[in-house]
Amino acid sequence: MTDTHGATGEPLANGEDTAPIANVLSQYVKDLSFENPNSPAIYQAQGTPKLDVQFNIGAAQVGEEVHEVVLKIEARGEIDGQVMYLCELSYAGLFGLRNIPAEHLQPFLLGEAPRVLFPFARRILADAVRDGGFPPLLLEPIDFNALYYSQAQQAAQAGQISGEGIGNA
């Protein structure tokens, strides 16, 4: 049997949809860059590579009930002070969000949405590095929700809450 009354006890209009809904409408590479500035000499270098990976997350409303979330990952590999590669990826997703309470919107956009995008971005980054002639860069999973809440708590303690971006792994 279906519920014909809302939380206030008032009857719902026929076909009214009040349940929160989040859908992935599309995922895409927004920008991808790979540089191999010291080839071919870098392939002769011996030593242990040093890797630096940074990331940032941005979100913007691009339509009614549609938000774009961009996961930007920058990876830099060096060996003996020489750059092996520089790889930058901006991987985006369009999310259709309806009936999401305002207090849950930012946590979804900066915590949950990047979690959905990350496995796809990780594969693209690994393939780009591998196609550049290096072992694939396999990033460890990131708990974007915990990172969001940690940074939100730090910002609240500092007396300010930023509406955009989290980063640095």
Side-chain angles (χ1 to χ4, degrees), residues 2 4-6 19 22 28 34 40 43 56 61-62 69 74 78 88 94 99-100 117 120 122 126 129 131 134 141 156:
T2 61
T4 58
H5 292 79
Y28 47 95
F34 183 87
Y43 297 111
N56 195 14
Q61 187 166 359
V62 296
V69 176
E74 297 176 4
E78 291 186 4
E88 295 180 9
L94 288 179
N99 302 324
I100 305 290
L117 297 174
F120 302 96
R122 177 182 187 243
V129 171
D131 291 347
F134 302 99

Side-chain angles (χ1 to χ4, degrees), residues 81-117:
Q82 290 189 341
V83 175
M84 295 167 45
Y85 60 83
L86 300 165
C87 189
E88 295 180 9
L89 170 65
S90 291
Y91 190 74
L94 288 179
F95 292 84
L97 305 176
R98 188 174 37 198
N99 302 324
I100 305 290
E103 66 272 14
H104 297 293
L105 189 59
Q106 188 173 353
F108 178 86
L109 294 173
L110 299 178
E112 186 61 21
R115 183 192 67 77
V116 171
L117 297 174

Side-chain angles (χ1 to χ4, degrees), residues 4-78:
T4 58
H5 292 79
T8 62
E10 296 294 317
L12 294 175
N14 189 17
E16 184 176 353
D17 183 10
T18 59
I21 297 174
N23 289 319
V24 179
L25 303 176
S26 181
Q27 295 184 53
Y28 47 95
V29 172
K30 195 165 178 118
D31 187 32
L32 175 61
S33 170
F34 183 87
E35 297 178 39
N36 188 346
N38 291 308
S39 65
I42 197 67
Y43 297 111
Q44 304 300 316
Q46 299 293 318
T48 303
K50 177 184 170 217
L51 302 176
D52 179 42
V53 178
Q54 303 290 317
F55 68 93
N56 195 14
I57 300 163
Q61 187 166 359
V62 296
E64 187 177 333
E65 299 181 341
V66 178
H67 292 76
E68 180 187 55
V69 176
V70 179
L71 174 58
K72 184 174 183 181
I73 303 172
E74 297 176 4
R76 177 185 179 101
E78 291 186 4

